[in-house]
Amino acid sequence: MRTKLDKNILWHLPLILAVFLQLWPIIFMASTSFKDMNQIFTSTLNPLPFPPTLNNYVAVLEDFPFWTYVYNTFLIATLVTVCKIATSVLAAFAFVYYEFKGKETIFNFMLLTFFIPITVLIMPNYLLMSKLGLLNTPWGVILPQIADGMGIFLMRQTIRGIPKPLLEAALLEGAGAIGILTKVVLPLIKPSAIAVTIFFFIHSWNEYFWPLLVLQDKENYTLPLALQMFISAEGGSEWGIAMAVAMLTSVLPLLLYLFCQKYILSTFLQSGVKG
Amino acid sequence: MRTKLDKNILWHLPLILAVFLQLWPIIFMASTSFKDMNQIFTSTLNPLPFPPTLNNYVAVLEDFPFWTYVYNTFLIATLVTVCKIATSVLAAFAFVYYEFKGKETIFNFMLLTFFIPITVLIMPNYLLMSKLGLLNTPWGVILPQIADGMGIFLMRQTIRGIPKPLLEAALLEGAGAIGILTKVVLPLIKPSAIAVTIFFFIHSWNEYFWPLLVLQDKENYTLPLALQMFISAEGGSEWGIAMAVAMLTSVLPLLLYLFCQKYILSTFLQSGVKG
Amino acid sequence: MKNIEFKAVKKKYDETTVIQELNFSIKEGERLVLLGPSGCGKTTTLRMIAGLEEISEGQLFMGGAVVNGVAPGKRNIAMVFQNYALFPHLSVWENITFGLKIQKLTEQEMTKRAKEALEILNLTGYENRKPKELSGGQKQRVALCRAIVKQSPYFLLDEPLSNLDAQLRQQARTELVKLHEIYKPTMIYVTHDQVEAMTIAQRIAIMNKGELQQIDTPENIYHRPANTFVASFIGTPPMNLLSAHVRDHWIFIGDACVPLDASWDKVIAGRSRIILGIRPEKCLLAGEKPMVPAEVSYVENLGSQRTLRLTLKNHENVFVSTKDFTQTANSTKGFSFRWEDVSVFDYKTGVNIGYPIKEGGKNE
Amino acid sequence: MKNIEFKAVKKKYDETTVIQELNFSIKEGERLVLLGPSGCGKTTTLRMIAGLEEISEGQLFMGGAVVNGVAPGKRNIAMVFQNYALFPHLSVWENITFGLKIQKLTEQEMTKRAKEALEILNLTGYENRKPKELSGGQKQRVALCRAIVKQSPYFLLDEPLSNLDAQLRQQARTELVKLHEIYKPTMIYVTHDQVEAMTIAQRIAIMNKGELQQIDTPENIYHRPANTFVASFIGTPPMNLLSAHVRDHWIFIGDACVPLDASWDKVIAGRSRIILGIRPEKCLLAGEKPMVPAEVSYVENLGSQRTLRLTLKNHENVFVSTKDFTQTANSTKGFSFRWEDVSVFDYKTGVNIGYPIKEGGKNE
């Protein structure tokens, strides 16, 4: 609507409220991480650090096995992401390209899992990993995550967005299923596949609950678990350091998001491929 | 592709794997909840209970303040849902209908929060609730959740999906912003709004982490917290009962999903409104 | 006076100017068609009248008053959109009375107007249907209906027939004209279809690249195009445009040398090169002694008529439409024309240089 | 023999039959146009030939062999899709050679064919462009190019011109025919546009509601329609269809009584009611003593011609196209026709009952 806009402030209230509630934790985190102990105690809700200090970051990098956690997190996130994107694309292509009985039913049933509490889902997987002897190893974290319903769903949507005549043209030119997948489908869904890959990576990087159950030894911890150690030791004197860890934990996801914003947004927008 | 399908089984492998991994926890949960103690110990991975027993359900409903937890969960989920959908629709409409400086920037910035670990976001909110004296009350759970970035995002997408000529026609007929919102936009986005409402409700119903931090007394617990008590008391003898609680916890979200599948899917598919 | 006047109106998006500088007026109660290829600015012009696009520069007058800042809802305009823009959640009746309710008309007046409009458009009995239960033609009529119940003095239509199939379109054209005759609003109709423009308009405004090319009656637009753009935009096939040299009282087309008609002497005087425009149906196939010799290079049979492509010696093509099927392609040696059927354009600018003052026999 | 033959071919989706029962054949090297309104099954028919739709019943022969179960890639078919279906991530060159690479042609042969095709279609120099950098007309030519490099004996086109504007479409029609003349493949062309059909086809197959209505030359389709559907689908305005009573040697139209031409006696014999079909351009306006008196109720001016709507006493309408602008609407008292310009249809079934055996003067 490129039309006149009443300057009615009432309309902006929910907007401002929503934006504030979304942004407040980030601002708080960033500012606290640059505050020293005194500032935190004297003015907890004051958003600005005077003067800003890097002490918290120095403490984190010196007194804390930060890079071990980064390595653990990165290993798990990378492997999970590679597996998930591969299975998502292949399964999605099979869902779109082949006709088989009960296709829609299987697909819809698969979406069920989005709506079940994570706490419910975790128990059976925990049991399975325990039987397989994978508790307290990165593999125990990775194995139940090599396929992802949301990923299949998003990739199926994207593949369905490819105009059918493109696939039919390839078919008429004599291409088989593998040819169509590699020469037509993959190049066309690349932006969305990249977006979903990033999404998977960030999600896995940030994951807290499942690694917490599987990983018991501190040296195997991922960053979100390590971060939680500070919160549990709810002492106040650790707040600044905790927020510095939080900042460092968030840096990679945020950078990935900022650089790949375009891909991510357009995937969510289902803009798909235009012939 | 309504065309020939090679019956190449290779293509179905990722599909079958993905479906199995998605469905296995649900099947396990359902079957374990109908097993008695002996069965659980003798054949942990055996999917079928012989004979099925309702003992676990009876135990849950008799020895356990199940309805208290249902009430707590329902209260929180309902209030959170109502607030979230109201702010989402209003903010989304403002985002679409009004032109103002930095609109896109604010919007994109808001999406940032999807990509930050929940553990990071929770600390500042915890602090705020503690200052406001709302710890250990349902209000402490509800207050930070009255606006939702994802909800604003989804509603904005839906509202943008309304063909512009419809809004322009209403404008030419002399309708103002409120008229357009109530007479044109709301009726048209109803299916999506219902879907997002259900989504919010299920999400809040299933939420574990934030309520865990805020609610300390057991009588204030929500269902996922109550469920967790069984898992922590990892004794084996409680597995059947835990799964019965899990089943009961999942019943409402699953029913809601099944009944409103059409709305939910079409919202995710961004099918939107067609003129 | 419900007229509309553009005074030096411009429209810019950021740096791009999409409407150069419009100066023209639309008379009260007339049917004006804005015609042009896609991207020519015709829809933008219409939307500026409706208030859906802001005017970057200049002034727009409606009924004598400047309306640049007036909100769309305050301009008292009825508009029919290309895709009809019916509210899908409302019934036909609710769609039609949507604006009347906002205007707070009495229930009685509302019912009276709606019933009348439904009857005129043959929609009685469809009041409770939802738009999706209607055919394309019915949707289009409901959109018209919603526009006429408002009884606005201004009636804007944006390609209202483009989603109908050929048969329905023909019928809808007639209905539209009839409808206008009943209420006599000031009607502005946007289309890219020249047949629609020719048959509906009292005057046609032809636009190209954001500029007005000609505004005149369909008759004059067709027979006396203001420039070569108009000449080649109107007509299927369009007007033949032949480059010609002039020397004394002779003009040279291809390798032919044709005596210049005396009536044209004064008009062409002083020019050595001109562009000669002749409509395909005004070219006469000649078996013997054609004014311009040419070879038939292609024949299209359209059933009711044939289009022959003749190629001159200098490789220029001339299209000739003929209903006369007896003259076979083989016996055609070229074509002739009558001087009263010709338009002449400036060689460089393509602007029409005018016609002999004494009406030389132009049909009607 | 690269011909195509439909033997009792049906197409069903679940319970709905969309193609009733097709029986016809397409000759090697001919240009056949499948014409019909939207939803008539013409595209489904084309897609069955391509193998993109399965055949529910019956047999499809291509080059003498049944191809019902043959995969699309094995049928040796080239196809141009409505939206061109160019691969957006590939350059023009890669698009064109896509199929040749799969066929494992030598690099040399591939380059030779691609260059030749690019040259024919005036695309040399565009090899490295991506589809989105091309105009609509260029995209369409690339799609044609991709089809012809395959040098397939079967060439299928699904409304290939529908996304072009009017001017380009006319030009593309001519190019398409020229292209066919070079390679002479068996060409099946689907369109809903009768002008395209008339100008491109050697034979037209008209379909309606999943059934073949007529398959014949454009000439015969236009002048000798097989039934009233064909008569009213072809022509703008379509053929006038007048219900008439027959008694002895007289026929009654409206309140007029016209002597039946002797040549028609045998054909019409034994019928008391018929439908008389006359093309609008074959109706002659009459000022005095018309064969059928009627009043002018509407005039459309199309520039090159006028369409008059005459209303008979019994409220039937007759459309008359005329180039003659001297006869004014006021002086028109009705119309006349020549018996050799008439088609006659059965009153109930609408089927053409035939023509007098002695060719009575039908043009060509």
Side-chain angles (χ1 to χ4, degrees):
Chain A
M1 307 276 294
R2 281 187 166 275
T3 58
K4 312 257 147 291
L5 45 105
D6 339 356
K7 303 279 180 202
N8 195 335
I9 192 65
L10 260 178
W11 285 104
H12 290 86
L13 266 179
L15 202 67
I16 291 161
L17 185 71
V19 169
F20 170 76
L21 279 171
Q22 292 289 309
L23 295 183
W24 140 256
I26 301 179
I27 295 163
F28 175 86
M29 168 177 74
S31 88
T32 304
S33 75
F34 292 107
K35 283 177 178 174
D36 70 20
M37 235 181 290
N38 299 331
Q39 286 179 318
I40 296 172
F41 279 102
T42 51
S43 55
T44 324
L45 289 174
N46 168 26
L48 292 179
F50 290 113
T53 169
L54 284 173
N55 289 347
N56 295 323
Y57 289 91
V58 173
V60 167
L61 295 175
E62 283 182 356
D63 309 340
F64 188 72
F66 180 74
W67 295 109
T68 309
Y69 297 136
V70 169
Y71 171 80
N72 292 341
T73 319
F74 194 81
L75 177 76
I76 290 174
T78 307
L79 288 175
V80 165
T81 303
V82 169
C83 293
K84 271 187 182 175
I85 191 71
T87 52
S88 294
V89 169
L90 289 173
F93 182 68
F95 262 124
V96 175
Y97 190 76
Y98 294 105
E99 292 293 328
F100 50 89
K101 254 198 168 172
K103 191 164 99 157
E104 288 300 309
T105 315
I106 293 175
F107 187 74
N108 288 349
F109 207 52
M110 223 176 60
L111 295 184
L112 266 184
T113 51
F114 300 170
F115 299 93
I116 292 184
I118 183 87
T119 38
V120 169
L121 297 179
I122 260 166
M123 275 187 279
N125 283 332
Y126 182 80
L127 194 70
L128 191 63
M129 290 308 110
S130 143
K131 288 265 161 186
L132 295 172
L134 294 175
L135 288 188
N136 206 18
T137 69
W139 313 111
V141 180
I142 294 165
L143 196 62
Q145 298 198 67
I146 63 174
D148 186 274
M150 182 59 94
I152 298 176
F153 178 80
L154 284 175
M155 293 324 299
R156 191 186 82 136
Q157 282 319 106
T158 314
I159 293 176
R160 270 156 63 118
I162 298 175
K164 271 197 188 151
L166 285 184
L167 303 186
E168 291 176 343
L171 210 61
L172 276 171
E173 299 283 4
I178 294 171
I180 291 178
L181 178 64
T182 57
K183 287 188 194 153
V184 181
V185 173
L186 280 184
L188 290 177
I189 65 170
K190 206 161 71 184
S192 296
I194 291 173
V196 170
T197 304
I198 291 164
F199 191 77
F200 283 155
F201 185 84
I202 294 176
H203 182 80
S204 178
W205 180 274
N206 290 344
E207 201 185 22
Y208 171 71
F209 207 74
W210 175 241
L212 178 68
L213 276 188
V214 175
L215 303 174
Q216 282 130 14
D217 298 347
K218 285 201 176 158
E219 70 262 29
N220 287 333
Y221 267 19
T222 60
L223 278 170
L225 300 191
L227 175 59
Q228 204 55 23
M229 295 195 300
F230 290 92
I231 300 181
S232 315
E234 218 186 285
S237 66
E238 307 263 2
W239 274 102
I241 294 178
M243 285 301 134
V245 176
M247 280 294 281
L248 292 170
T249 304
S250 310
V251 159
L252 188 67
L254 284 187
L255 286 182
L256 270 176
Y257 171 68
L258 286 177
F259 282 114
C260 308
Q261 205 175 28
K262 208 183 60 188
Y263 289 136
I264 294 174
L265 284 181
S266 73
T267 299
F268 278 112
L269 305 189
Q270 297 298 338
S271 70
V273 190
K274 254 131 213 154
Chain B
M1 307 277 294
R2 281 191 166 270
T3 56
K4 312 260 146 292
L5 47 107
D6 339 356
K7 303 279 179 201
N8 194 334
I9 192 66
L10 260 178
W11 286 103
H12 290 86
L13 265 180
L15 202 67
I16 291 162
L17 185 71
V19 169
F20 171 76
L21 280 171
Q22 293 288 309
L23 294 184
W24 139 255
I26 300 179
I27 294 163
F28 175 87
M29 169 178 74
S31 88
T32 306
S33 75
F34 291 107
K35 282 176 180 174
D36 70 20
M37 236 183 287
N38 298 332
Q39 285 179 320
I40 295 172
F41 278 102
T42 50
S43 55
T44 323
L45 290 175
N46 168 25
L48 292 180
F50 290 114
T53 168
L54 285 174
N55 289 348
N56 295 322
Y57 289 92
V58 174
V60 167
L61 296 175
E62 283 182 356
D63 308 342
F64 189 73
F66 180 74
W67 295 108
T68 309
Y69 297 135
V70 169
Y71 171 80
N72 292 341
T73 319
F74 194 80
L75 177 76
I76 291 175
T78 306
L79 288 175
V80 165
T81 303
V82 168
C83 293
K84 272 189 182 175
I85 191 70
T87 52
S88 294
V89 168
L90 289 174
F93 182 69
F95 263 125
V96 175
Y97 189 76
Y98 293 105
E99 293 294 328
F100 51 88
K101 255 197 166 172
K103 190 164 101 158
E104 288 300 309
T105 315
I106 293 175
F107 187 75
N108 288 348
F109 207 52
M110 223 176 59
L111 295 185
L112 265 183
T113 50
F114 301 169
F115 299 95
I116 292 184
I118 183 86
T119 39
V120 169
L121 298 178
I122 260 164
M123 275 184 283
N125 284 332
Y126 182 81
L127 193 70
L128 191 63
M129 290 309 111
S130 142
K131 290 264 162 187
L132 295 173
L134 293 175
L135 288 188
N136 205 17
T137 69
W139 313 110
V141 180
I142 294 165
L143 197 62
Q145 298 197 67
I146 62 174
D148 186 275
M150 181 59 93
I152 297 174
F153 178 80
L154 283 175
M155 292 325 299
R156 189 186 83 135
Q157 283 317 106
T158 313
I159 293 175
R160 271 155 63 117
I162 298 175
K164 274 199 184 145
L166 286 184
L167 302 187
E168 291 177 343
L171 210 60
L172 277 171
E173 299 283 4
I178 294 171
I180 291 178
L181 178 64
T182 55
K183 288 189 194 150
V184 181
V185 172
L186 280 184
L188 289 177
I189 64 170
K190 207 163 69 183
S192 296
I194 290 174
V196 170
T197 304
I198 291 165
F199 191 79
F200 283 153
F201 185 84
I202 294 176
H203 183 79
S204 178
W205 180 275
N206 291 344
E207 201 185 20
Y208 172 70
F209 207 75
W210 175 242
L212 178 68
L213 277 187
V214 175
L215 303 174
Q216 281 130 16
D217 297 347
K218 285 200 177 160
E219 68 262 32
N220 286 333
Y221 268 20
T222 60
L223 277 170
L225 299 190
L227 175 59
Q228 204 57 21
M229 295 194 298
F230 290 92
I231 301 180
S232 316
E234 217 185 287
S237 67
E238 307 262 3
W239 274 102
I241 293 177
M243 287 300 136
V245 176
M247 280 294 282
L248 291 171
T249 304
S250 309
V251 160
L252 188 66
L254 285 186
L255 285 182
L256 271 175
Y257 171 68
L258 287 177
F259 281 113
C260 309
Q261 206 175 26
K262 209 182 60 188
Y263 288 136
I264 294 174
L265 286 180
S266 73
T267 299
F268 278 111
L269 306 189
Q270 296 299 339
S271 70
V273 190
K274 254 130 211 153
Chain C
M1 278 292 284
K2 299 303 183 185
N3 63 340
I4 298 174
E5 202 171 345
F6 286 82
K7 279 204 177 148
V9 168
K10 289 188 188 181
K11 174 72 194 177
K12 292 175 184 173
Y13 292 119
D14 301 324
E15 293 306 294
T16 9
T17 309
V18 294
I19 301 288
Q20 299 295 344
E21 181 170 320
L22 280 186
N23 283 297
F24 73 100
S25 51
I26 304 166
K27 295 174 212 154
E28 177 171 3
E30 88 169 316
R31 286 196 302 276
L32 182 95
V33 171
L34 287 171
L35 175 68
S38 59
C40 72
K42 55 191 190 299
T43 296
T44 309
T45 306
L46 188 80
R47 290 170 59 85
M48 286 194 295
I49 299 174
L52 298 171
E53 298 280 353
E54 282 188 65
I55 292 162
S56 310
E57 276 178 42
Q59 290 177 305
L60 175 66
F61 292 82
M62 288 172 72
V66 178
V67 293
N68 286 38
V70 178
K74 306 284 180 205
R75 294 192 183 193
N76 202 1
I77 273 170
M79 181 158 171
V80 176
F81 291 83
Q82 184 167 9
N83 296 308
Y84 316 137
L86 300 178
F87 302 116
H89 58 295
L90 300 181
S91 69
V92 168
W93 182 267
E94 288 164 331
N95 261 289
I96 291 170
T97 54
F98 186 91
L100 304 185
K101 272 182 197 151
I102 292 171
Q103 284 181 35
K104 299 213 167 38
L105 255 62
T106 62
E107 191 69 33
Q108 204 187 353
E109 172 69 9
M110 208 155 72
T111 311
K112 188 177 144 266
R113 283 207 206 169
K115 282 205 168 156
E116 188 186 299
L118 284 165
E119 194 162 331
I120 290 174
L121 283 155
N122 255 325
L123 284 167
T124 314
Y126 292 93
E127 290 89 345
N128 296 320
R129 298 247 188 131
K130 288 281 172 68
K132 62 166 178 263
E133 299 164 327
L134 301 173
S135 72
Q138 288 166 340
K139 277 185 204 162
Q140 194 262 335
R141 294 214 304 280
V142 174
L144 280 178
C145 205
R146 185 174 65 183
I148 63 171
V149 285
K150 288 181 75 183
Q151 303 186 355
S152 307
Y154 306 103
F155 191 23
L156 314 185
L157 301 102
D158 186 8
E159 310 237 12
L161 309 184
S162 60
N163 288 335
L164 300 182
D165 62 35
Q167 308 268 332
L168 268 177
R169 212 179 297 173
Q170 198 173 7
Q171 192 185 320
R173 286 194 318 243
T174 324
E175 272 175 18
L176 214 51
V177 172
K178 236 195 297 180
L179 206 60
H180 177 260
E181 303 283 342
I182 298 174
Y183 292 99
K184 290 268 185 211
T186 306
M187 172 166 151
I188 302 103
Y189 184 107
V190 162
T191 184
H192 67 274
D193 181 321
Q194 45 164 307
V195 175
E196 270 172 40
M198 292 294 288
T199 53
I200 289 172
Q202 289 169 331
R203 285 199 305 159
I204 296 176
I206 296 203
M207 296 184 70
N208 189 33
K209 293 181 182 162
E211 280 183 287
L212 185 67
Q213 303 291 319
Q214 184 171 10
I215 177 165
D216 212 330
T217 61
E219 200 54 36
N220 281 342
I221 293 269
Y222 190 82
H223 291 292
R224 300 188 154 202
N227 54 39
T228 47
F229 171 79
V230 175
S232 58
F233 187 75
I234 298 281
T236 36
M239 187 179 265
N240 293 301
L241 296 172
L242 297 166
S243 69
H245 287 269
V246 185
R247 199 177 322 145
D248 301 331
H249 295 289
W250 297 89
I251 71 164
F252 298 83
I253 308 169
D255 63 349
C257 172
V258 181
L260 186 57
D261 194 76
S263 63
W264 281 91
D265 267 358
K266 251 196 193 152
V267 186
I268 294 182
R271 292 171 191 272
S272 63
R273 293 195 78 172
I274 54 170
I275 295 172
L276 211 62
I278 318 169
R279 290 270 165 214
E281 70 276 11
K282 298 294 186 188
C283 292
L284 311 163
L285 289 178
E288 294 304 320
K289 294 193 188 158
M291 279 163 76
V292 184
E295 266 176 36
V296 177
S297 53
Y298 196 74
V299 182
E300 274 194 341
N301 181 357
L302 303 172
S304 64
Q305 63 176 43
R306 283 182 178 187
T307 304
L308 284 79
R309 189 177 65 199
L310 307 187
T311 305
L312 308 193
K313 281 277 154 59
N314 63 353
H315 303 299
E316 278 189 302
N317 285 325
V318 172
F319 289 91
V320 180
S321 300
T322 175
K323 275 190 183 177
D324 181 8
F325 283 52
T326 51
Q327 169 99 36
T328 67
N330 292 335
S331 70
T332 299
K333 297 269 192 299
F335 70 96
S336 302
F337 58 88
R338 298 186 306 168
W339 276 102
E340 64 240 42
D341 295 332
V342 160
S343 294
V344 178
F345 305 94
D346 183 86
Y347 187 77
K348 277 193 185 133
T349 63
V351 172
N352 193 322
I353 62 169
Y355 296 88
I357 289 166
K358 187 185 153 233
E359 282 277 283
K362 200 141 265 288
N363 308 338
E364 11 210 297
Chain D
M1 279 292 285
K2 299 302 183 186
N3 62 342
I4 297 174
E5 203 173 344
F6 285 82
K7 280 204 177 146
V9 168
K10 289 188 190 182
K11 175 72 193 176
K12 292 176 185 173
Y13 291 118
D14 301 324
E15 292 306 294
T16 7
T17 308
V18 293
I19 300 288
Q20 299 296 343
E21 181 170 321
L22 281 186
N23 282 297
F24 73 100
S25 51
I26 304 167
K27 296 175 211 154
E28 178 170 4
E30 88 168 317
R31 286 196 302 275
L32 182 94
V33 171
L34 287 171
L35 176 67
S38 59
C40 72
K42 55 192 191 297
T43 296
T44 308
T45 306
L46 189 80
R47 289 170 60 84
M48 286 196 293
I49 299 174
L52 298 172
E53 296 281 353
E54 284 188 66
I55 292 162
S56 309
E57 274 178 43
Q59 290 177 305
L60 175 65
F61 292 82
M62 288 172 73
V66 178
V67 293
N68 285 38
V70 178
K74 305 285 179 205
R75 293 191 184 192
N76 202 1
I77 273 170
M79 182 158 169
V80 176
F81 291 83
Q82 182 166 11
N83 296 308
Y84 316 136
L86 300 178
F87 301 116
H89 57 296
L90 300 180
S91 69
V92 168
W93 182 266
E94 289 165 329
N95 262 288
I96 290 170
T97 55
F98 186 91
L100 304 184
K101 272 182 196 150
I102 291 171
Q103 284 180 35
K104 300 214 167 39
L105 254 63
T106 63
E107 191 70 34
Q108 204 187 353
E109 172 70 7
M110 208 154 73
T111 311
K112 187 176 146 268
R113 283 205 206 170
K115 283 205 166 155
E116 188 187 298
L118 283 165
E119 194 161 331
I120 291 175
L121 282 155
N122 256 324
L123 284 168
T124 314
Y126 291 94
E127 290 87 345
N128 297 319
R129 299 246 188 131
K130 289 282 173 67
K132 63 166 176 262
E133 298 164 327
L134 300 174
S135 70
Q138 287 166 343
K139 276 185 205 162
Q140 193 263 335
R141 296 215 303 281
V142 174
L144 279 179
C145 205
R146 185 174 66 183
I148 63 171
V149 285
K150 289 181 74 184
Q151 303 186 355
S152 307
Y154 306 103
F155 191 23
L156 314 186
L157 301 102
D158 186 7
E159 310 237 11
L161 309 184
S162 61
N163 288 334
L164 301 181
D165 61 35
Q167 309 267 331
L168 269 177
R169 212 179 298 175
Q170 197 173 8
Q171 192 185 322
R173 287 197 314 246
T174 324
E175 272 175 17
L176 212 53
V177 172
K178 235 196 296 180
L179 205 62
H180 178 260
E181 303 283 342
I182 299 173
Y183 292 99
K184 291 267 185 212
T186 307
M187 174 166 149
I188 301 103
Y189 184 107
V190 163
T191 184
H192 68 275
D193 182 320
Q194 45 164 305
V195 175
E196 271 174 38
M198 292 295 288
T199 53
I200 289 172
Q202 291 169 329
R203 285 199 303 159
I204 297 176
I206 295 204
M207 295 183 71
N208 189 32
K209 294 183 182 161
E211 279 183 287
L212 185 67
Q213 303 291 319
Q214 185 172 9
I215 177 165
D216 212 329
T217 61
E219 200 54 36
N220 282 342
I221 293 269
Y222 190 82
H223 291 292
R224 302 188 155 201
N227 54 40
T228 46
F229 171 79
V230 175
S232 59
F233 187 75
I234 297 282
T236 34
M239 188 179 264
N240 293 300
L241 297 172
L242 297 166
S243 69
H245 288 267
V246 187
R247 199 175 326 144
D248 300 333
H249 295 287
W250 297 87
I251 70 165
F252 298 83
I253 309 168
D255 63 349
C257 172
V258 181
L260 185 59
D261 194 76
S263 63
W264 281 92
D265 266 358
K266 250 195 192 154
V267 185
I268 293 184
R271 291 172 192 270
S272 64
R273 294 196 77 172
I274 54 170
I275 295 172
L276 210 61
I278 318 170
R279 290 270 166 213
E281 70 275 10
K282 298 294 187 189
C283 291
L284 311 164
L285 289 178
E288 295 304 320
K289 293 192 188 160
M291 278 163 77
V292 184
E295 265 175 38
V296 177
S297 53
Y298 196 74
V299 181
E300 274 195 339
N301 181 358
L302 302 173
S304 64
Q305 62 176 42
R306 283 183 177 185
T307 304
L308 284 80
R309 190 178 64 197
L310 307 187
T311 306
L312 307 194
K313 283 278 154 59
N314 62 354
H315 303 297
E316 279 188 301
N317 285 325
V318 172
F319 289 91
V320 180
S321 300
T322 176
K323 275 190 184 177
D324 181 8
F325 283 52
T326 51
Q327 169 100 38
T328 66
N330 292 335
S331 69
T332 298
K333 297 272 192 299
F335 70 96
S336 302
F337 58 87
R338 299 187 304 169
W339 276 100
E340 64 241 42
D341 295 332
V342 160
S343 293
V344 178
F345 304 93
D346 182 86
Y347 188 75
K348 277 193 186 134
T349 63
V351 172
N352 193 321
I353 61 168
Y355 295 88
I357 288 166
K358 188 182 153 235
E359 280 279 282
K362 198 138 270 288
N363 309 339
E364 4 212 305

